[in-house]
Amino acid sequence: MSSSYVEELAEHNTSWFRIVHALLAIADIKINGSRPFDIRVRNPDFYKRVLREGSLGLGESYMDGWWECDRLDCFFRRILRAGLEKRATHHLKDILHIVAARLINLQSRKRAWIVGKEHYDLGNDLFSLMLDTHMQYSCGYWKESTTLEQAQQAKLRIICEKLQLQPGMTLLDIGCGWGGLAAYAARHYGVSVYGVTISREQQKLAQARCSDLNVTIELQDYRDLNRHFDRIVSVGMFEHVGPKNYDTYFRVVSKNLKPEGLFLLHTIGANKTDSQVDPWINKYIFPNGCLPSVRHIAAHSEPYLVMEDWHNFGADYDKTLMAWHDRFVASWPQLADRYSPRFNRMFRYYLNACAGAFRARNIQLWQVLFSPQGIEGGVRVAR
């Protein structure tokens, strides 16, 4: 350890500092160190803020410029692999949010529209520059891909193949985003698509992108669906449904799926069954979100559907998020006039933190294929 490093640490030597220093040492992260995953503290109040405010304090202090890190993705990967989130005491606000998630339906009909307004309506300019040409805001499939464009096209293809789409079929897309999957399925598989979203900005752009195709895009809550479809797909939407609505969700899917149909669920998943939501992500990125577990999906789908296949390619989300991050950084000069420097730090923190979480295998990405009553002879699923 260099003398200059010791001197720098001496300036911060408080009880708050000593606790944070000891915690980070477990993950082999140094304060004011020189490695890419080490952190550089600009404000000595950082230590007290993080210990008092937990995840929210860590994220907000970064947004405020109180600390820096060259590779946030590597920082978070180390934090999670070392299990530091389990060692640090929960801040009171973190605990209150967990309790609220258990007692209150945070994804009620009235509240369900919040995430659309606060995140997906941020601006089509932002997402158009950050995402691929299909505007896929979910994990790409990198098995044989080397670019974001290839990975997202491979993801679209594998979804359509798993659903065994045929010309003339009807497809319901629950949470259709900017219409990328709807357009791809209509154009390449000759199906008629009905997509629903809770984001006005997504609906507007999706309608424009699909104007020459057999695609309908509606601003609609999934709970209001009452039609019959040959196939149903839901990509990156189940994370916003919430545990109190899982039974309703699968009941709605079952009600709208024809007897010989197939349903594909594409969702981020948690390793453990609980209602914990990261307070910073909840406040700044995805209000009222909650990641389902294997138990959640299995238990709530069981009364309505037969599980035909479960595919985990969560490690691919790391590559997807880092590709989005690179595109976001490269596009910032085109966005800086509309978005603040604090927003820049917030969004980079979000993308890197999530990439680190997937790299640490702390969270997963699942594609689960269901049928209403089991397919005779089983289903051969594309990989």
Side-chain angles (χ1 to χ4, degrees), residues 266-279:
H266 174 117
T267 182
I268 298 172
N271 289 340
K272 295 183 179 180
T273 303
D274 56 39
S275 300
Q276 294 192 36
V277 179
D278 182 86

Side-chain angles (χ1 to χ4, degrees), residues 35-223:
R35 297 168 299 179
F37 50 81
D38 289 331
I39 65 171
R40 299 182 298 280
V41 177
R42 305 302 189 196
N43 188 321
D45 290 333
F46 162 78
Y47 313 108
K48 182 192 297 185
R49 186 174 182 180
V50 169
L51 292 175
R52 283 184 168 179
E53 300 178 11
S55 170
L56 198 58
L58 182 67
E60 289 185 337
S61 62
Y62 182 82
M63 291 164 63
D64 292 338
W66 286 23
W67 61 283
E68 302 287 347
C69 180
D70 293 335
R71 289 293 303 271
L72 282 169
D73 56 318
C74 299
F75 167 81
F76 279 105
R77 182 260 178 194
R78 285 179 168 267
I79 290 289
L80 293 168
R81 291 296 285 186
L84 294 196
E85 78 283 3
K86 301 170 187 173
R87 294 172 180 265
T89 56
H90 282 293
H91 176 248
L92 178 59
K93 287 184 180 178
D94 294 6
I95 297 171
L96 290 176
H97 186 83
I98 293 168
V99 173
R102 291 174 179 166
L103 299 178
I104 303 169
N105 186 357
L106 298 176
Q107 299 83 11
S108 64
R109 285 178 178 271
K110 183 177 181 180
R111 295 178 61 88
W113 298 85
I114 294 175
V115 69
K117 181 179 180 181
E118 295 193 12
H119 188 79
Y120 297 107
D121 287 349
L122 277 172
N124 287 335
D125 57 344
L126 165 64
F127 292 110
S128 295
L129 290 168
M130 185 180 80
L131 305 179
D132 64 296
T133 56
H134 296 285
M135 291 195 72
Q136 291 298 288
Y137 197 24
S138 60
C139 184
Y141 190 52
W142 293 81
K143 183 179 179 181
E144 298 177 352
S145 304
T146 57
T147 67
L148 179 64
E149 190 72 21
Q150 292 172 352
Q152 293 295 11
Q153 186 152 318
K155 186 265 299 294
L156 294 174
R157 180 190 59 78
I158 200 171
I159 288 174
C160 294
E161 292 297 318
K162 286 181 178 181
L163 286 169
Q164 301 179 13
L165 296 182
Q166 299 293 330
M169 283 184 174
T170 55
L171 172 66
L172 168 63
D173 187 351
I174 303 176
C176 62
W178 292 276
L181 174 56
Y184 185 89
R187 183 171 288 117
H188 295 281
Y189 290 84
V191 298
S192 171
V193 187
Y194 185 89
V196 297
T197 177
I198 56 170
S199 165
R200 295 185 184 279
E201 289 299 309
Q202 284 187 336
Q203 182 199 28
K204 188 189 309 178
L205 185 55
Q207 287 177 331
R209 287 164 59 89
C210 299
S211 60
D212 61 337
L213 299 168
N214 191 6
V215 174
T216 300
I217 306 292
E218 296 290 350
L219 197 65
Q220 184 178 6
D221 189 296
Y222 70 93
R223 284 163 282 209

Side-chain angles (χ1 to χ4, degrees), residues 164 231 259-262 306 308 370-380:
Q164 301 179 13
R231 301 289 188 263
E260 301 301 320
L262 289 171
V306 174
E308 300 284 357
F370 298 90
S371 66
Q373 51 195 2
I375 301 297
E376 291 187 15
V379 179
R380 291 188 178 181

